[in-house]
Amino acid sequence: QVYLVESGGGLVQAGDSLRLSCASSGGTLFTYAMGWFRQAPGKEREFVAAISRRGQYTNYQDSVKGRFTISADLAKSTLYLQMDSLKSDDTAVYYCAARYTTSDVSTATMSQQYNYWGQGTQVTVSS
């Protein structure tokens, strides 16, 4: 069983930055590929970014490319999402997710591909 706990959300103004963290226990980032998803009110959960196990490969939703950066500290089993130039459209609950895989290159973009989820952290961007 893998447990994921997100932190770092908050209320910011458009143009500001935030860094989300996701602490993992019960498994390591050497074994699990990780991802960030978000869900805005009245909308479906959507993919934001993913990173392969061991952290070599990344993948982003088009709307966050160049603004968000996903990274992982393997020693600390912690996933990060650096969010810069935030927009009001980025307002959502952000979830981290873990996916067991034997692939060192896989960056899954579909929520159904992930096995474990955190409880989410709220990000609100005021315009």
Side-chain angles (χ1 to χ4, degrees):
Q1 182 72 26
V2 175
Y3 297 94
L4 305 172
V5 179
E6 303 97 332
S7 60
L11 172 62
V12 297
Q13 294 186 332
D16 285 351
S17 297
L18 273 177
R19 188 177 81 157
L20 305 183
S21 299
C22 174
S24 169
S25 61
T28 73
L29 302 189
F30 290 97
T31 308
Y32 290 84
M34 305 291 291
W36 286 100
F37 289 76
R38 67 187 181 187
Q39 187 167 19
K43 296 186 178 181
E44 293 188 353
R45 188 172 299 187
E46 65 175 2
F47 167 75
V48 176
I51 191 166
S52 62
R53 73 173 196 172
R54 305 177 188 269
Q56 285 186 289
Y57 298 93
T58 59
N59 194 2
Y60 297 92
Q61 182 199 113
D62 286 345
S63 69
V64 307
K65 283 181 181 177
R67 299 189 299 121
F68 290 11
T69 303
I70 188 171
S71 63
D73 185 325
L74 301 182
K76 295 182 178 180
S77 291
T78 301
L79 178 72
Y80 301 100
L81 185 68
Q82 177 66 41
M83 305 187 294
D84 299 320
S85 302
L86 282 162
K87 305 175 181 179
S88 57
D89 287 348
D90 296 320
T91 295
V93 177
Y94 283 71
Y95 299 89
C96 72
R99 172 175 178 258
Y100 176 77
T101 179
T102 57
S103 169
D104 284 340
V105 302
S106 173
T107 55
T109 62
M110 298 177 64
S111 60
Q112 302 95 306
Q113 296 174 287
Y114 288 83
N115 308 112
Y116 303 99
W117 293 84
Q119 82 289 347
T121 185
Q122 177 70 47
V123 172
T124 303
V125 184
S126 64
S127 56

